[in-house]
Amino acid sequence: MSDVLDLTRELIGRRSVTPEDAGCQALIAERLARMGFAIEHLRHGEVDNLWATHGGEGPTLVFLGHTDVVPSGPESAWRSSPFEPAVRDGRLYGRGAADMKGSVAAMVLALERFVTTHPQHAGRVALLLTSDEEGPTNLDGVRRVAETFRARGERLDWCVVGEPSSKERLGDLIRVGRRGSLSGTLTVRGVQGHVAYPEKAKNPIHAFAPALAELAATRWDAGNADFPPTSFQVSNLNAGTGATNVIPGALVALINFRYSTASTATDLRARTEAILDRHGLDWQLDWNLSGEPFLSPASGRLREAVLGVCRELCGVEPEQSTGGGTSDGRFIAPLGAEVVELGPVNATIHKVDECVAVADLERLPGLYQAVCERLLASRHAAPGSVRSLSPPGRRLG
């Protein structure tokens, strides 16, 4: 067994269903402390966060990951227990193998090897872990840690997120930005009544239907060279008492925008509310902005380093994407850091029999270590330019 496979297996064996950490961070902290890393535990509520740093003055390269996993679903549906890692046919199976305990283990190994090879490296290398990435709110994880960093002037220059970014081959796709996510809970009020007497009631489903059709048909923007067009989706629609003879008194819809830098959250809120008003609805809409869009500059040193590493060590020309969902990188980018996501193939994440190719897992520490060496092996390393497309943040330090 390789070191990275051993550590990944040990992490998978800990049942860290969000927001539980199940001792994963303590295990990692003990390893890194032995290598001379300064360790800080930042627990908020039920969430564990680990901040481990090595080095001194100069630019900071942070590796960002999470130790929590989504629930396994029915364990009987798995070929082997989701929390008892198993290797079959060259693949490691278990919940979190790809998302993202494999990447976390690879980051730890890469950092250990880097500081051993370059004990007097430039700047700082760091690891930031949370147990609140897969949860529904992400209130006490990296979002809260970023607030702490901002308050104390913590300087972050580059951030590699270990989310499983690859499509078919390791390194064939990297995330160089992410769309923003704006959600809303919409209540449309009507008047409850008997279905046989509709003149004495007001059906909120009927009232909302034309507005929903307009919302779904609206072209919010055309996107741009870096992002696809903004999308609008209804993820849940609920109304009624369960009886067939009662007109409901209210309807609740959960809506979401995944939006590009061609739009702003303020504009999307205003346009949505204008449509609701135009259709004469009695409505209430509670908004939740979980992250603004961000983009790492094409000329940024981190982006160039990751591209070079993938070309040289994986033999591929990576696709540079801003698609997919969101990641915790959305909380780090506003601090002034250039953010790039690089991780294993994502074909099985959140699925039954989640797995990662052992060969990819064993190559991943080398990719992360090579990024460290390109940026911080020399004492003359300097941070690249940073362009955050979330509300203007300041470079800390």
Side-chain angles (χ1 to χ4, degrees), residues 44-95:
H44 298 289
E46 298 180 341
V47 175
D48 289 300
N49 302 289
L50 173 66
W51 176 236
T53 60
H54 188 284
E57 294 297 322
T60 296
L61 166 62
V62 55
F63 288 89
L64 174 61
H66 61 88
T67 52
D68 60 322
V69 298
V70 296
S72 65
E75 294 195 19
S76 60
W78 289 65
R79 289 183 60 193
S80 53
S81 171
F83 299 103
E84 295 179 8
V87 176
R88 297 190 300 272
D89 302 321
R91 310 189 76 82
L92 172 64
Y93 290 82
R95 177 57 86 219

Side-chain angles (χ1 to χ4, degrees), residues 206-274:
H206 295 186
F208 180 54
L212 176 57
E214 182 174 348
L215 289 166
T218 296
R219 183 176 174 84
W220 301 93
D221 58 51
N224 53 38
D226 298 301
F227 288 89
T230 292
S231 68
F232 167 85
Q233 289 292 316
V234 176
S235 59
N236 189 279
L237 191 65
N238 185 53
T241 63
T244 60
N245 60 352
V246 178
I247 293 171
L251 171 151
V252 177
L254 304 183
I255 65 175
N256 178 265
F257 288 97
R258 293 302 168 99
Y259 68 101
S260 74
T261 52
S263 291
T264 66
T266 300
D267 180 60
L268 294 173
R269 287 194 295 260
R271 292 173 65 186
T272 299
E273 293 171 3

